Amino acid sequence: MSIVCILIGPPGSGKSTVGALVAQMLGADFADTDRLVEERADRSVSEIFIELGEAHFRELEAAAVEVALEGSGVVALGGGAVMNPATAELVRRLALPVVFLDVSITSAAPRIGFNRDRPLLVGNPRAQWLSLMQTRRATYEDLASYTVSTDERTPQAIAADIVGQIRGAA
Ligand code: S3P
């Protein structure tokens, strides 16, 4: 099997939860670049940000994305991964289905509110998230083959929607 889809979107959009479900429904592998970075660095994302800095995290992330996209199944990219132009170019060049999981601050807030493993949102998570989304939305939309709103829908319903889109396009 090759890559069946790539999930992009901001923190709290449900990439990890939905990605794992899509993979399960398709009987495919699932890779999450944050987990891959953590395994390869033997540290949590937060520890990498604190001990090594964001720039170093972004290098590890770009390398992890390359590895993940050489694999198979469903791949969820960390929220900021596609802001690296080389990563965005790689995603574009592969011409695979890219799903942008869109979400409002109202739905994202409860998911990200108390999660200490999101170092970029430390301080004022709400304002940080809104600012990230404002900067990134155009890139997410530009790369997306299709956009799925995750507001007020269960992960199962979102995953079923994505599986339908993938099967419909195949
Ligand atoms: C980040 C999102 C996080 C993680 C890191 C930076 C971002 O992943 O990669 O904390 O820049 O938006 P999730 O999108 O899975 O939360």
Side-chain angles (χ1 to χ4, degrees):
M1 185 187 273
S2 49
I3 299 283
V4 291
C5 79
I6 301 171
L7 300 183
I8 60 172
S13 56
K15 299 181 297 291
S16 306
T17 308
V18 170
L21 278 172
V22 171
Q24 196 184 62
M25 288 176 185
L26 292 171
D29 296 332
F30 174 60
D32 179 325
T33 60
D34 285 338
R35 300 292 84 78
L36 207 54
V37 167
E38 290 180 332
E39 279 166 26
R40 287 161 62 97
D42 199 22
R43 289 173 166 91
S44 70
V45 168
S46 286
E47 284 167 347
I48 299 169
F49 266 75
I50 293 163
E51 293 170 20
L52 307 170
E54 180 176 353
H56 194 94
F57 170 78
R58 295 301 175 193
E59 281 174 27
L60 297 176
E61 180 176 55
V65 172
E66 281 188 37
V67 169
L69 293 178
E70 281 165 8
S72 64
V74 178
V75 177
L77 304 187
V82 293
M83 299 313 290
N84 176 330
T87 297
E89 186 46 39
L90 172 64
V91 169
R92 228 174 249 120
R93 202 172 59 235
L94 290 173
L96 294 162
V98 177
V99 183
F100 166 30
L101 294 187
D102 199 358
V103 64
S104 66
I105 182 70
T106 311
S107 295
R111 302 183 194 153
I112 57 179
F114 300 105
N115 188 334
R116 285 177 299 134
D117 207 22
R118 289 205 163 93
L120 270 193
L121 303 178
V122 164
N124 184 343
R126 205 183 160 84
Q128 304 277 38
W129 188 94
L130 284 169
S131 160
L132 287 185
M133 194 54 163
Q134 194 179 19
T135 312
R136 294 176 180 175
R137 175 172 286 283
T139 303
Y140 291 147
E141 288 179 348
D142 181 51
L143 289 173
S145 321
Y146 40 90
T147 298
V148 177
S149 169
T150 67
D151 282 349
E152 292 167 27
R153 297 172 73 202
T154 63
Q156 285 76 9
I158 300 160
D161 186 346
I162 294 170
V163 168
Q165 301 257 21
I166 291 169
R167 291 202 170 127

